[in-house]
Amino acid sequence: MSTPTSSADPAHPAGSDTGRIDRGDGVHLAYHRHLPKLWAPGPGVVFLGGFRSDMTGTKAMALDGFCARTGRPYLRFDYSGHGISDGAFEDGCIGRWVEDALVMIDRLTDGPLVLVGSSMGGWIMLRVALARPDRVKGMIGIAAAPDFTEKLMWPDMTADQQATLLRDGRLEIPSEYDPEPTVITRRLIEEGRDNLVLDGPIPFEGPVRLLHGLEDPDVPWRLSLETAAALTTSDLRIELVKGGDHRLSTPSDIAMLTRTLDEVCRLVVEAD
């Protein structure tokens, strides 16, 4: 694989790095990385975005600023078919996006990590933790949605929609977050079944925090309870936000997130 191509980003302080990486098949993934000159003790931070989101979202940018102020290495990126990365969204699936995350982590980070996974990113976070147990030392889920293709998406379809998806290989459904419909592919559903994590224990012993809005219309907060039950760690806390929606992007939500990240990073340092 080629080395990253990058350019200075005048909108960010010295030590920031914006570029693209060939994932190994000609598809280039876009990223932004913050590498402080004076690092705080402890892990770096990687943000894993949600389904059809990108690395310029409110939470990704808020954590970028927080890590810059506190001296923590930080990486955010776009999966293939998302944001400004190459590839068609319809060609994507959970396994491919997990591979994207592993390419970015392996090529652009060093040492212990805390992963922050939002919605679908919470599923990818768990798969990455299983694939890199020597690197991932802490996790934070924001409306984490592991196994959502099987637990939420497929059962929410009508019988006619399921038949259309199986027959045509794709289904368009309206999106509350985008004027364009969301395209669900048969591959997304079927390949998702090869990446399920809630069908047994998830071995992980580091600190985990799961943040979830009680008014989340997309991912029921009870899925965080199920995720917590599957994880083997004893250092796990769920924070349910009364009135909180799926995005958890209000100023008070962001303050909770940065406070939680600071706590998890401290716990990782203490455990070292």
Side-chain angles (χ1 to χ4, degrees), residues 1-268:
M1 290 185 288
S2 62
T3 56
T5 58
S6 61
S7 60
D9 186 348
H12 291 81
S16 291
D17 173 34
T18 296
R20 300 169 70 82
I21 282 183
D22 185 340
R23 73 188 299 278
D25 56 4
V27 173
H28 289 79
L29 306 176
Y31 72 89
H32 180 84
R33 175 175 55 167
H34 177 70
L35 298 172
K37 291 182 179 179
L38 297 175
W39 289 16
V45 179
V46 178
F47 183 80
L48 301 167
F51 191 67
R52 294 190 72 186
S53 68
D54 62 53
M55 64 174 171
T56 64
T58 303
K59 295 184 290 293
M61 297 302 293
L63 290 182
D64 189 301
F66 177 77
C67 289
R69 292 191 301 273
T70 56
R72 298 199 178 281
Y74 177 71
L75 172 67
R76 54 185 167 92
F77 65 93
D78 287 333
Y79 309 115
S80 54
H82 289 68
I84 59 173
S85 286
D86 293 349
F89 174 78
E90 292 180 38
D91 293 336
C93 57
I94 300 302
R96 182 176 180 85
W97 295 325
V98 170
E99 290 174 359
D100 292 344
L102 291 172
V103 166
M104 294 309 231
I105 286 170
D106 291 346
R107 297 279 301 282
L108 295 173
T109 70
D110 294 300
L113 297 173
V114 169
L115 305 182
V116 181
S118 178
S119 193
M120 179 185 78
W123 188 356
I124 299 207
M125 171 180 77
L126 295 171
R127 297 298 310 184
V128 169
L130 291 171
R132 298 291 184 271
D134 57 325
R135 300 285 315 280
V136 180
K137 302 301 182 181
M139 295 190 287
I140 299 171
I142 309 165
D147 300 5
F148 75 89
T149 53
E150 192 70 7
K151 287 184 170 292
L152 304 177
M153 190 173 278
W154 179 253
D156 195 48
M157 294 178 190
T158 66
D160 286 345
Q161 287 175 321
Q162 291 177 349
T164 297
L165 182 65
L166 294 175
R167 182 187 67 244
D168 300 339
R170 68 194 304 274
L171 177 71
E172 293 186 0
I173 58 176
S175 170
E176 294 183 16
Y177 305 107
D178 195 297
E180 295 296 321
T182 298
V183 175
I184 308 302
T185 65
R186 177 173 177 171
R187 182 187 180 206
L188 177 70
I189 298 296
E190 294 182 345
E191 195 271 351
R193 291 170 183 151
D194 297 329
N195 283 281
L196 300 178
V197 292
L198 297 180
D199 51 355
I202 304 172
F204 185 78
E205 302 309 321
V208 177
R209 302 293 181 262
L210 301 174
L211 316 178
H212 216 126
L214 285 173
E215 306 304 322
D216 187 336
D218 301 309
V219 180
W221 58 265
R222 289 176 179 80
L223 190 55
S224 278
L225 302 185
E226 191 172 346
T227 303
L231 283 157
T232 59
T233 181
S234 59
D235 187 359
L236 188 149
R237 189 171 70 241
I238 300 172
E239 191 154 352
L240 299 176
V241 183
K242 189 172 183 179
D245 61 8
H246 182 61
R247 291 184 167 181
L248 289 182
S249 293
T250 68
S252 61
D253 295 332
I254 296 300
M256 173 183 63
L257 174 58
T258 55
R259 182 175 65 249
T260 302
L261 177 58
D262 195 52
E263 176 197 18
V264 170
C265 288
R266 176 179 53 80
L267 290 169
V268 170

